[in-house]
């Protein structure tokens, strides 16, 4: 099995950090764009897609700024993180996504994020 590599993608999002943040950490917000269903208990998020469940532990959280998850079945060094970045001069808001994938699947994984974030932008009406 080839080693997973870290990659980062950034998306401009026309939304306030406070509103965007609710879509990144609250089950109801995540259900609107990220997964078919999301539940949380004791910092463990259960994401459901097409009836398949995947669990992730919430590793870090900063209000209106960042959420970091680690999939239960993933390698120890791997995680995925969504960070809200706001430009101090222009107040433009961007969402920075950090994730891990094998060399062969990075392109595919970026495409999945592109599609998910486009869906998030449409849900936000941004």
């Amino acid at each position: 099995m080839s080693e997973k590599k870290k990659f980062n993608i950034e998306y401009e999002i026309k939304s306030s950090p406070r509103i965007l943040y609710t879509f990144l950490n609250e089950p109801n917000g995540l259900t609107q764009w990220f997964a078919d269903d999301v539940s949380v208990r004791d910092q463990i998020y259960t994401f459901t897609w097409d009836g398949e469940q995947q669990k992730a532990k919430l590793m870090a959280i900063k209000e209106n700024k960042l959420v970091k998850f680690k999939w239960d079945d993933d390698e120890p060094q791997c995680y995925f993180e969504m960070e809200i970045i706001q430009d101090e001069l222009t107040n433009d808001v961007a969402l920075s996504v950090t994730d891990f994938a094998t060399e062969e699947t990075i392109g595919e994984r970026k495409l999945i994020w592109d599609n998910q974030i486009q869906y998030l932008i449409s849900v936000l009406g941004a």
Side-chain angles (χ1 to χ4, degrees):
M1 187 173 180
S2 55
E3 189 178 318
K4 290 187 175 184
K5 294 183 174 14
K6 184 177 180 178
F7 67 92
N8 184 272
I9 347 171
E10 203 169 288
Y11 304 92
E12 186 180 338
I13 298 190
K14 293 177 179 15
S15 173
S16 77
R18 190 174 48 78
I19 291 170
L20 179 55
Y21 180 73
T22 64
F23 284 86
L24 304 182
N25 82 310
E26 292 180 6
N28 187 34
L30 285 160
T31 300
Q32 292 186 52
W33 70 278
F34 189 72
D36 299 336
D37 189 45
V38 180
S39 60
V40 64
R41 183 176 187 166
D42 299 329
Q43 306 294 307
I44 304 293
Y45 283 64
T46 303
F47 298 93
T48 306
W49 292 275
D50 298 326
E52 296 280 317
Q53 288 189 340
Q54 202 170 356
K55 292 183 185 292
K57 181 171 177 44
L58 181 64
M59 303 298 288
I61 191 163
K62 290 183 188 153
E63 192 172 347
N64 298 333
K65 183 91 177 123
L66 172 138
V67 289
K68 180 178 178 178
F69 294 97
K70 181 186 180 330
W71 295 114
D72 273 1
D73 57 0
D74 212 346
E75 298 166 19
Q77 77 278 12
C78 297
Y79 59 88
F80 72 99
E81 178 180 273
M82 297 177 282
E83 181 179 9
I84 300 167
I85 301 165
Q86 187 166 25
D87 186 289
E88 289 181 22
L89 293 175
T90 63
N91 277 334
D92 288 347
V93 173
L95 181 63
S96 173
V97 175
T98 302
D99 198 356
F100 288 78
T102 60
E103 194 74 55
E104 311 81 63
T105 61
I106 283 180
E108 184 182 313
R109 185 82 110 197
K110 284 183 176 180
L111 202 56
I112 290 169
W113 277 112
D114 287 350
N115 289 334
Q116 293 301 105
I117 300 301
Q118 288 310 313
Y119 194 46
L120 170 62
I121 289 169
S122 72
V123 167
L124 285 166

